[in-house]
Amino acid sequence: DGGITQSPKYLFRKEGQNVTLSCEQNLNHDAMYWYRQDPGQGLRLIYYSQIVNDFQKGDIAEGYSVSREKKESFPLTVTSAQKNPTAFYLCASSMGTLETQYFGPGTRLLVL
Amino acid sequence: KNQVEQSPQSLIILEGKNCTLQCNYTVSPFSNLRWYKQDTGRGPVSLTIMTFSENTKSNGRYTATLDADTKQSSLHITASQLSDSASYICVVSLKGPQRGSQGNLIFGKGTKLSVKP
């Protein structure tokens, strides 16, 4: 059963805490992406990775960090430096950066 | 500036009726245009993809059109069903290698469609 998965579905963060969102894909895709979605706004790119051990900042990378140690995995860490982290986070993958992106089910991050 | 504008912002229709969603873009160089459907609290799912030379593409009750001259696209939904209630997102791809911090995809803000019984 191929696809892209994200966990957890909901995540709560305390002030000053770092939290990590998981994204895994078994589609053998080279490229992976993290987006943030806020109400009434389009998806905004946080980070993307075109290949293992390489990633690039998107438009809103401040306060976030990523790693790409394996082709299948692209975890996103929301650090304490991100002052407004409450949002819906979407991970996506594609064969290449010009190919159709397939999205995971999303993680909703809430601040306590 | 590369932008994708969608209208209307939201739309309510009765089950069984047809509707058309609009997407205007100012993106260059253009590679392709995709329509995604996003159910509430879920990730977007691709409905159609069109390149510069294609002006119509269908996927079941969904028909997308593209006018590359006027830089407009529409998504027509026929005989709407309750399950069509979702946000519909227009996404335009830039041609060429990965382009800086915005990436190659320019997302519209979406049209929220509600189908009522």
Side-chain angles (χ1 to χ4, degrees):
Chain A
D1 190 19
I4 179 166
T5 59
Q6 292 184 240
S7 63
K9 188 173 176 65
Y10 295 95
L11 186 58
F12 297 91
R13 192 191 91 162
K14 295 179 181 178
E15 196 170 333
Q17 184 182 40
N18 291 354
V19 293
T20 297
L21 285 62
S22 168
C23 178
E24 304 277 332
Q25 54 97 1
N26 61 4
L27 300 168
N28 200 33
H29 286 169
D30 286 316
M32 296 187 74
Y33 313 80
W34 274 105
Y35 294 94
R36 172 179 170 139
Q37 188 174 37
D38 294 282
Q41 293 202 39
L43 274 68
R44 291 184 291 168
L45 184 64
I46 304 173
Y47 268 98
Y48 65 93
S49 169
Q50 298 183 70
I51 199 167
V52 174
N53 292 323
D54 181 67
F55 48 83
Q56 305 294 331
K57 291 182 178 180
D59 264 349
I60 55 166
E62 186 174 349
Y64 301 97
S65 66
V66 294
S67 63
R68 186 84 187 277
E69 297 176 2
K70 299 186 298 182
K71 188 175 186 177
E72 311 82 53
S73 180
F74 191 40
L76 173 74
T77 296
V78 183
T79 74
S80 57
Q82 173 49 244
K83 298 307 179 186
N84 185 24
T86 297
F88 190 53
Y89 290 86
L90 286 161
C91 179
S93 70
S94 63
M95 281 299 291
T97 55
L98 299 181
E99 305 298 324
T100 297
Q101 292 187 13
Y102 294 85
F103 287 84
T107 292
R108 188 165 297 281
L109 177 60
L110 300 165
V111 177
L112 294 176
Chain B
K1 183 181 178 183
N2 289 315
Q3 282 187 315
V4 175
E5 302 284 344
Q6 291 188 244
S7 62
Q9 188 173 358
S10 61
L11 181 63
I12 300 174
I13 62 173
L14 292 176
E15 187 179 11
K17 298 296 186 183
N18 303 337
C19 68
T20 300
L21 314 181
Q22 299 290 343
C23 173
N24 297 341
Y25 61 92
T26 54
V27 175
S28 181
F30 175 90
S31 177
N32 57 59
L33 184 146
R34 297 176 174 90
W35 283 93
Y36 280 87
K37 177 186 179 188
Q38 185 178 20
D39 292 317
T40 300
R42 309 288 291 272
V45 175
S46 179
L47 292 175
T48 64
I49 176 172
M50 287 185 293
T51 59
F52 187 86
S53 58
E54 297 174 299
N55 53 28
T56 301
K57 185 162 283 189
S58 292
N59 178 359
R61 293 180 296 102
Y62 300 102
T63 299
T65 66
L66 174 65
D67 185 334
D69 291 331
T70 61
K71 298 187 177 181
Q72 296 179 326
S73 175
S74 65
L75 181 69
H76 186 75
I77 304 174
T78 304
S80 61
Q81 300 176 359
L82 298 178
S83 59
D84 292 330
S85 295
S87 287
Y88 292 85
I89 303 172
C90 177
V91 185
V92 179
S93 292
L94 291 160
K95 186 182 293 186
Q98 194 70 30
R99 295 174 178 272
S101 65
Q102 196 174 25
N104 274 38
L105 299 189
I106 313 299
F107 288 84
K109 294 182 179 181
T111 292
K112 185 168 184 176
L113 175 66
S114 297
V115 180
K116 302 294 186 184

